[in-house]
């Protein structure tokens, strides 16, 4: 039984989803009716004539039904996008309201200017983020289009007849084509095999041992077997055995089907239409959100205190209110979303240059935080160029007949042909042999591969005798389980315990030599209408085919580099443990312990979690066992990346923190992944991991700056409000200070990150951020009070008449100290000497400092309430800034020594 019904879930909705619910109910009813028709009637309804569609029909149906794309977040009109960015951010609304109040109630010119600055901050937060994200998103989308999924369809195409001149008229021919999934239309005839995503809602015409995983639609974890016959008893569409749905995938078997519905008219499309825009928060989202709320809590505490102190001591409650508003704006991390968006987008573009395509931007931080990488060995540790080295009888002697049986098995299977099958076909070089096998044997049926049986079989007819044979090829252990006899030369023997041991010893020796051995079993089989896995019994063991997949030259260096960067590599494979351990030894992975699927099956979750700590190799795994290993690593506190490209990797890709696949992977693997590699290489992966750490490191620089600065300002503002007879800084000056500082920080995404920071995975550490804030923040407050003392006692700004001078002096000190201190905070080393900021970040800081100084010196400064500062102020300020940077460096070094890099 299904765990729940999508139709019921959708139909149960109300409000704005009502129309979508009605559409879902209509789609469900139409599909159910289609399932109850026999194959011929269903085909006649969807594709009269049952022939391949011609180009004109495809064009007509594309115009009628649209592209085969489910509902997704469409690009919104510019004004709507800007409006949504404004109203969904409470900080923008607050700033706008305060700006309006300031504009209409303020009597001074500085109040009008303050209102303009608040508007400018809103504009920068909304527009700059929009244009940056739009530019980056367009570039990333172009990269994502490089990773496309296709479906195999029968289409009528125009082509020149063989041997005809180029000027000759083209002719129509029916061919199997790889068609982009979004180009399918209702009525298309499509072909499914293991590993395919179901590209649309389909009515099956022919199905052979077809098992579909439709857990994305039903929640049912076990694959469902599908048939082509009419399902008159289907209570609803999802339970119909003759239908396959977009959003599901083929686990095993093969089928021919006709497209019943595409795009938004599919069952999956109706579901996606009601859920579009919803996304589960990642750890990265949660970390940013928690930091923002930490800053808001500081603001909520400080602003009322500042407001009350200034209202009581200064006597002007309106002035106190405006000052408190400006302080609130200064403490609010209004630029955090933009800084995060710019860093992630630039990180994605940098990673793309290293052949790493990011499908989901927020996966970048998790990518950098990976401390355990789980990967298959084929193609990552090995060259992914399998060669059939040996074809032997049961005792390891070369045997041509075994190769012929293996060739027939690989040639006649209709499912997903893997590298081993290709190697078998390539191994038969003699054209006469190939021609003989073609002529003598005809495919009757097949039993496709699955990851439980770990073998596949074909049933062929010998045309010369009319006899039927079943030929099975698969993993040695699983083949021995269905063999009751064995062949040697021209004799046949019962599989006695002694002979069983001898056969296992031969296979073991091959594995020890680095070969992957598959066993071949054959028997005569009675003629009948259909065959199944139940016929895989009482086979005669014929011998072995042994393959070699040599290790990559770069694998050892890549593993060493990953380990040096704090990433442990664990091998999760369906291959046997002996071959896997042999390959691991060749690439430098020390294998003292290993686990196989059967052993994992017998372990509790707690036992498996403990075992993962010192086990580098997990072999003979099925898909669910791979998921169990990933989940065990999660429970042990690891951030797990899983790299896979096969049919059996989809569940583990979803279970991992970061799913990593390659452009050549099967459809379901690419769809499940967060990251796509254009080159299947651990070296490329290592570069991507480091880039992810750089992105997170640069985001954290802004966060550390903002947190420590705000914490220090809290003490400075409260003290100044108590000690001074006037406001320490005018509201408009606080706003201008904040605006200029925010501009200087937009370049932080371009900065480099020190190697020692990249040397280990980094995760969100709110306690570490709070510790840094408490340690560094008061240092800035100390020098604020030094500045107050200098301005009061040395400069003489100690009366109401000189308030403007005091405020100007603190404005300059505050702006320059905030802008320059990033050079200390951005690195764990000695700034300027051992580590330098990027040129854009340095230039942005210098420009903002010059602009701030010029604003106080030029006549325009009067608009903001500034007064010219005496010459003696500048060397004193320089000394204050140098001392501030030096003390911050001392405190930071002490914190790094005792607590490590944050």
């Amino acid at each position: 039984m299904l765990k729940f019904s999508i139709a019921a879930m959708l139909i149960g909705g109300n409000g704005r989803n009502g129309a979508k619910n009605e559409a879902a109910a209509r789609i469900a009813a139409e599909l159910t009716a289609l399932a109850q028709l026999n194959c011929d009637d269903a085909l006649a309804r969807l594709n009269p004539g049952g022939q391949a569609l011609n180009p004109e029909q495809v064009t007509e149906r594309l115009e009628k039904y649209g592209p085969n794309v489910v509902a997704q977040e469409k690009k919104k009109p510019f004004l709507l996008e800007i409006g949504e960015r404004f109203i969904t951010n409470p900080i923008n609304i607050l700033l706008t309201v305060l700006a309006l109040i300031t504009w209409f109630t303020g009597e001074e010119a500085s109040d009008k200017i303050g209102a303009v600055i608040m508007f400018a901050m809103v504009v920068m937060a909304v527009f700059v983020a929009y244009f940056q994200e739009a530019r980056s998103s367009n570039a990333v989308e172009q990269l994502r289009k490089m990773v496309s999924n296709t479906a195999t369809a029968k289409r009528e195409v125009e082509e020149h007849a063989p041997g005809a001149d180029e000027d000759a008229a083209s002719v129509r021919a029916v061919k199997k084509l790889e068609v982009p999934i979004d180009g399918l239309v209702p009525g298309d005839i499509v072909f499914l095999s293991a590993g395919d995503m179901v590209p649309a809602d389909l009515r099956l015409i022919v199905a052979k041992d077809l098992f579909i995983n439709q857990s994305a639609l039903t929640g049912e974890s076990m694959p469902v077997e599908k048939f082509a016959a009419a399902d008159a008893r289907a209570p609803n569409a999802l339970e119909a055995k003759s239908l396959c749905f977009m959003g599901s995938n083929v686990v095993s078997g093969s089928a021919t089907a006709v497209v019943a519905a595409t795009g938004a008219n599919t069952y999956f499309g109706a579901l996606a239409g009601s859920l579009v825009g919803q996304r589960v928060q990642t750890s990265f989202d949660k970390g940013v959100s928690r930091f923002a709320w930490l800053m808001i809590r500081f603001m909520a505490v400080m602003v009322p205190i500042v407001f009350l102190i200034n209202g009581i001591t200064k006597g002007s409650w309106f002035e106190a209110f405006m000052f408190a508003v400006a302080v609130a704006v200064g403490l609010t991390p209004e630029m955090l979303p933009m800084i995060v968006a710019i860093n992630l987008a630039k990180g994605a573009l940098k990673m793309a240059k290293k052949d790493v395509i990011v499908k989901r931007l927020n996966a970048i931080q998790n990518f950098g935080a990976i401390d355990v990488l789980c990967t298959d060995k084929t193609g990552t540790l090995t060259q992914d160029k399998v060669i059939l080295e040996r074809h032997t009888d049961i005792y390891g002697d070369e045997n041509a007949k075994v190769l012929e049986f293996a060739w027939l098995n690989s040639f006649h299977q209709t499912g997903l042909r893997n590298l081993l099958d290709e190697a078998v076909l390539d191994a038969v070089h003699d054209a006469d042999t190939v021609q003989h096998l073609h002529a003598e044997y005809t495919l009757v049926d097949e039993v496709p591969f699955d990851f439980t049986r770990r073998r596949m079989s074909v049933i062929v007819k010998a045309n010369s005798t009319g006899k039927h044979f079943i030929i099975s090829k698969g993993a040695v252990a699983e083949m021995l389980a269905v063999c009751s006899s064995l062949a040697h030369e021209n004799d046949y023997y019962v599989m006695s315990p002694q002979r069983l041991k001898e056969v296992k010893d031969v296979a073991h020796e091959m594995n020890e030599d680095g070969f992957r051995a598959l066993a071949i079993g054959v028997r005569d089989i009675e003629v009948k209408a259909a065959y199944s896995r139940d016929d895989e019994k009482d086979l005669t063991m014929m011998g072995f085919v042994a393959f070699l997949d040599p290790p990559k030259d770069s694998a050892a260096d890549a593993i060493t580099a990953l380990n040096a960067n704090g990433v442990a590599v664990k091998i999760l494979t369906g291959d046997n443990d002996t071959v896997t351990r042999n390959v691991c030894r060749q690439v430098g992975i020390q294998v003292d312990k290993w686990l196989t699927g059967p052993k994992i099956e017998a372990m509790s979750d707690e036992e498996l979690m403990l075992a993962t700590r010192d086990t580098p190799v997990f072999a003979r795994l099925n898909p669910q066992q791979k998921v169990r290993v990933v989940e065990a690593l999660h429970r042990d506190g690891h951030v797990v990346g899983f790299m896979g490209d096969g049919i059996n990797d989809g569940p583990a890709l979803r279970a991992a923190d970061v799913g990593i696949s390659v452009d050549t992977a099967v459809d379901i693997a690419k769809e499940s992944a967060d990251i796509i590699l254009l080159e299947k290489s651990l070296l490329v992966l290592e570069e991507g991991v480091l880039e992810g750490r750089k992105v997170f490191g640069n985001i954290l620089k802004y966060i550390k700056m903002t947190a420590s600065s705000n914490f220090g300002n809290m003490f400075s503002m409260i003290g100044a409000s108590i000690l001074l007879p006037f406001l320490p800084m005018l509201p408009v000056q606080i706003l201008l200070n904040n605006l200029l500082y925010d501009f200087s920080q937009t370049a932080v995404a371009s900065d480099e990150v020190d190697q020692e920071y990249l040397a280990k995975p980094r995760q969100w550490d709110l306690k570490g951020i709070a510790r840094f804030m408490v340690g560094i923040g008061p240092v800035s407050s100390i020098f604020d009070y030094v500045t107050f003392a200098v301005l009061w006692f040395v400069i003489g700004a100690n009366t109401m008449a000189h308030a403007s001078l005091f405020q100007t002096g603190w404005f300059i000190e505050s702006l320059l100290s905030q802008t320059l201190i990033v050079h200390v905070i951005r690195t764990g080393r000695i700034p300027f000497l051992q580590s330098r900021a990027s040129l854009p970040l340095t230039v942005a800081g210098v420009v903002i400092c010059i602009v701030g100084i010029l604003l106080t010196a030029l006549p325009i400064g009067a608009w903001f309430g500034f007064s010219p500062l005496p010459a003696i102020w500048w060397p004193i300020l320089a000394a204050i800034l140098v001392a501030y940077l030096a003390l911050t460096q001392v405190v930071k070094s002490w914190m790094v020594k005792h607590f490590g890099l944050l």
Side-chain angles (χ1 to χ4, degrees):
M1 289 295 291
L2 299 177
K3 291 187 177 178
F4 63 86
S5 168
I6 292 294
M9 183 179 75
L10 291 173
I11 295 169
N14 50 45
R16 65 191 181 96
N17 283 329
K20 291 174 180 174
N21 296 338
E22 291 178 11
R26 173 183 55 78
I27 291 168
E30 290 175 356
L31 290 172
T32 303
L34 194 64
Q36 295 171 349
L37 297 176
N38 62 43
C39 292
D40 292 338
D41 291 341
L43 185 59
R45 175 180 292 190
L46 298 168
N47 181 344
Q51 300 300 312
L53 298 182
N54 59 43
E56 293 78 17
Q57 290 174 311
V58 171
T59 301
E60 177 188 343
R61 296 184 186 205
L62 272 175
E63 291 176 356
K64 181 177 180 180
Y65 298 105
N68 184 29
V69 179
V70 298
Q72 54 186 334
E73 292 192 69
K74 298 177 182 177
K75 190 171 183 179
K76 297 168 185 168
F78 173 75
L79 292 179
L80 180 60
E81 175 74 16
I82 293 298
E84 284 194 7
R85 284 175 177 268
F86 171 77
I87 63 176
T88 55
N89 189 330
I91 294 172
N92 291 335
I93 296 175
L94 173 65
L95 285 173
T96 303
V97 171
L98 295 177
L100 291 172
I101 293 173
T102 304
W103 180 271
F104 288 111
T105 61
E107 298 177 355
E108 302 292 332
S110 62
D111 294 329
K112 306 294 185 184
I113 294 171
V116 171
I117 290 175
M118 285 191 236
F119 277 124
M121 293 175 73
V122 173
V123 169
M124 187 168 75
V126 173
F127 282 85
V128 174
Y130 169 78
F131 286 116
Q132 279 283 356
E133 287 186 39
R135 187 182 69 175
S136 300
S137 296
N138 289 338
V140 171
E141 187 59 31
Q142 292 302 314
L143 292 167
R144 288 184 61 183
K145 287 178 180 178
M146 295 169 65
V147 182
S148 61
N149 291 325
T150 61
T152 305
K154 185 165 67 173
R155 289 270 180 92
E156 190 176 278
V157 296
E158 289 189 359
E159 61 180 12
H160 291 293
D165 295 333
E166 291 186 5
D167 297 333
S170 58
V171 296
R172 291 286 178 96
V174 174
K175 285 194 169 185
K176 280 187 179 181
L177 302 174
E178 289 299 315
V179 178
I181 285 179
D182 60 7
L184 290 178
V185 295
D188 259 325
I189 307 296
V190 297
F191 303 89
L192 300 177
S193 60
D196 287 346
M197 288 194 308
V198 176
D201 285 354
L202 310 176
R203 173 59 166 89
L204 294 172
I205 302 171
V206 178
K208 176 60 182 175
D209 295 318
L210 184 67
F211 283 83
I212 300 291
N213 177 359
Q214 52 187 40
S215 59
L217 295 169
T218 66
E220 178 61 55
S221 59
M222 296 301 294
V224 179
E225 189 168 11
K226 299 285 186 174
F227 307 93
D231 190 355
R233 297 182 179 180
N236 57 58
L238 280 180
E239 293 189 69
K241 297 296 186 183
S242 55
L243 298 177
C244 295
F245 300 92
M246 174 184 276
S248 58
N249 63 279
V250 182
V251 176
S252 63
S254 58
T256 304
V258 59
V259 175
T262 57
N265 292 320
T266 63
Y267 213 94
F268 185 74
L271 174 63
S274 64
L275 300 180
V276 65
Q278 299 183 11
R279 183 173 61 84
V280 177
Q281 273 200 329
T282 65
S283 62
F284 180 80
D285 298 322
K286 293 174 183 176
V288 172
S289 178
R290 285 198 300 268
F291 170 73
W293 278 107
L294 176 66
M295 292 295 97
I296 289 172
R297 285 196 292 271
F298 272 113
M299 181 184 70
V301 170
M302 183 178 174
V303 170
I305 293 174
V306 170
F307 171 64
L308 290 173
I309 291 174
N310 281 289
I312 294 170
T313 59
K314 313 299 186 296
S316 174
W317 288 98
F318 178 76
E319 187 179 68
F321 172 74
M322 295 306 299
F323 182 73
V325 165
V327 169
V329 172
L331 293 179
T332 302
E334 73 279 354
M335 303 307 292
L336 180 60
M338 186 187 81
I339 296 292
V340 169
I342 291 173
N343 272 278
L344 291 176
K346 287 192 174 181
L349 295 178
K350 284 183 180 179
M351 290 168 77
K353 293 177 182 177
K354 298 177 179 179
D355 290 338
V356 179
I357 294 178
V358 180
K359 286 179 60 182
R360 189 168 54 89
L361 280 182
N362 282 3
I364 292 176
Q365 187 270 329
N366 278 343
F367 198 28
I370 290 171
D371 61 351
V372 175
L373 173 66
C374 298
T375 178
D376 194 1
K377 67 174 180 60
T378 304
T380 50
L381 302 185
T382 61
Q383 294 180 12
D384 212 7
K385 294 180 180 177
V386 177
I387 303 166
L388 194 154
E389 285 283 328
R390 301 179 63 189
H391 43 91
T392 75
D393 62 18
I394 57 172
Y395 292 117
D397 298 321
E398 293 296 314
N399 187 294
K401 196 65 179 175
V402 170
L403 179 58
E404 292 182 5
F405 282 128
W407 189 93
L408 288 169
N409 177 281
S410 295
F411 179 78
H412 285 296
Q413 71 148 313
T414 60
L416 189 68
R417 187 173 288 169
N418 61 28
L419 291 170
L420 301 180
D421 294 309
E422 297 292 350
V424 169
L425 298 178
D426 291 341
V428 181
H429 305 295
D430 184 59
D432 291 338
T433 301
V434 172
Q435 185 176 358
H436 165 72
L437 294 174
H438 267 298
E440 175 61 17
Y441 296 97
T442 303
L443 176 67
V444 175
D445 205 347
E446 70 174 322
V447 184
F449 178 87
D450 67 51
F451 293 95
T452 302
R453 295 164 33 254
R454 291 162 57 81
R455 59 180 174 264
M456 71 85 52
S457 302
V458 296
I459 294 84
V460 295
K461 182 179 77 171
N463 295 324
S464 59
T465 63
K467 285 186 177 180
H468 285 196
F469 298 89
I470 180 170
I471 306 171
S472 296
K473 176 176 93 264
V476 174
E478 281 71 15
M479 284 298 301
L480 286 173
V482 294
C483 287
S484 59
S485 61
L486 48 84
H488 183 235
E489 296 179 346
N490 294 321
D491 297 320
Y492 295 86
Y493 305 93
V494 174
M495 186 74 76
S496 65
Q498 176 60 32
R499 290 197 172 98
L500 178 62
K501 180 181 181 305
E502 292 171 354
V503 170
K504 287 182 176 180
D505 287 344
V506 172
H508 183 74
E509 287 174 10
M510 288 182 176
N511 292 337
E512 287 289 346
D513 290 337
F515 293 105
R516 179 177 180 182
L518 297 183
I520 306 295
V522 179
R523 77 172 171 94
D524 295 351
I525 193 168
E526 64 276 15
V527 177
K528 55 183 180 178
Y531 299 87
S532 71
R533 65 193 66 189
D534 294 333
D535 294 303
E536 295 176 325
K537 61 183 180 181
D538 297 329
L539 302 182
T540 298
M541 180 82 149
M542 301 301 297
F544 304 98
V545 281
F547 304 86
L548 187 64
D549 188 4
K552 281 185 176 177
D553 294 335
S554 62
D557 292 339
I559 289 168
T560 301
L562 284 167
N563 290 337
N565 287 310
V567 181
V569 178
K570 295 185 183 292
I571 307 303
L572 276 60
T573 180
D575 207 347
N576 72 69
D577 58 289
T578 308
V579 171
T580 304
R581 285 185 285 122
N582 184 287
V583 172
C584 287
R585 280 193 294 269
Q586 293 181 62
V587 298
I589 298 178
Q590 185 67 32
V591 185
D592 296 321
K593 293 181 64 178
W594 63 91
L595 283 173
T596 60
K599 291 181 180 178
I600 289 173
E601 200 66 36
M603 299 173 78
S604 67
D605 289 342
E606 182 68 20
E607 289 171 334
L608 181 57
M609 184 192 77
L610 296 174
T612 59
R613 293 178 179 176
D614 56 358
T615 304
V617 169
F618 302 83
R620 292 182 61 201
L621 300 182
N622 63 32
Q624 198 52 42
Q625 288 162 350
K626 290 185 179 182
V627 172
R628 281 197 68 198
V629 173
V630 171
E631 291 175 343
L633 290 164
H634 275 156
R635 285 193 299 275
D636 206 24
H638 295 288
V639 179
V640 183
F642 184 90
M643 182 172 173
D645 61 355
I647 314 164
N648 58 335
D649 292 323
L653 284 165
R654 290 193 180 96
D657 293 284
V658 181
I660 306 158
S661 194
V662 292
D663 188 29
T664 54
V666 297
D667 292 347
I668 188 61
K670 286 191 289 186
E671 190 67 19
S672 302
D674 303 305
I675 305 284
I676 303 289
L677 306 183
L678 296 184
E679 178 185 345
K680 192 174 183 181
S681 165
L682 288 179
L683 280 175
V684 171
L685 189 64
E686 186 245 351
E687 291 178 351
V689 167
L690 294 182
E691 196 61 51
R693 293 180 188 175
K694 286 181 184 179
V695 170
F696 183 57
N698 282 332
I699 292 173
L700 208 58
K701 289 174 187 177
Y702 174 81
I703 287 173
K704 289 189 293 185
M705 258 303 307
T706 304
S708 58
S709 175
N710 287 1
F711 190 70
N713 284 340
M714 186 167 66
F715 290 108
S716 302
M717 288 291 183
I718 292 175
S721 297
I722 295 172
L723 296 173
L724 299 176
F726 46 78
L727 294 177
M729 204 183 297
L730 293 177
V732 68
Q733 293 168 350
I734 294 176
L735 295 171
L736 179 62
N737 186 309
N738 199 47
L739 181 66
L740 291 173
Y741 169 70
D742 284 341
F743 266 122
S744 74
Q745 294 308 298
T746 55
V748 75
S750 68
D751 199 21
E752 290 299 320
V753 180
D754 295 335
Q755 287 301 315
E756 57 266 28
Y757 184 88
L758 301 176
K760 59 182 288 189
R762 304 287 172 179
Q763 300 184 41
W764 276 102
D765 180 8
L766 203 58
K767 288 183 180 178
I769 293 172
R771 185 169 56 238
F772 188 91
M773 179 176 66
V774 172
I776 299 296
V779 176
S780 69
S781 195
I782 290 171
F783 287 92
D784 282 339
Y785 282 107
V786 170
T787 301
F788 296 163
V790 169
L791 290 168
W792 187 273
F793 295 108
V794 179
I795 305 301
N798 49 22
T799 64
M800 289 295 294
H802 295 97
S804 175
L805 189 63
F806 187 101
Q807 293 159 350
T808 303
W810 193 33
F811 171 87
I812 286 294
E813 187 271 344
S814 176
L815 177 63
L816 268 59
S817 63
Q818 280 192 106
T819 305
L820 294 175
I821 201 63
V822 71
H823 293 275
V824 176
I825 291 177
R826 61 169 290 279
T827 177
R829 304 176 183 178
I830 299 174
F832 307 112
L833 299 178
Q834 295 178 336
S835 179
R836 297 181 182 87
S838 67
L839 183 62
L841 183 59
T842 301
V843 170
V846 170
V847 168
I848 291 302
C849 289
I850 293 173
V851 169
I853 292 171
L854 290 176
L855 280 174
T856 63
L858 296 174
I860 194 176
W863 295 3
F864 301 96
F866 294 134
S867 296
L869 290 160
I872 192 175
W873 163 250
W874 298 106
I876 295 174
L877 174 61
I880 290 173
L881 292 174
V882 170
Y884 173 43
L885 295 178
L887 182 58
T888 303
Q889 172 64 23
V890 170
V891 174
K892 180 200 71 180
S893 297
W894 180 87
M895 294 186 72
V896 169
K897 181 178 179 181
H898 286 79
F899 303 108
L901 290 169
L902 175 60

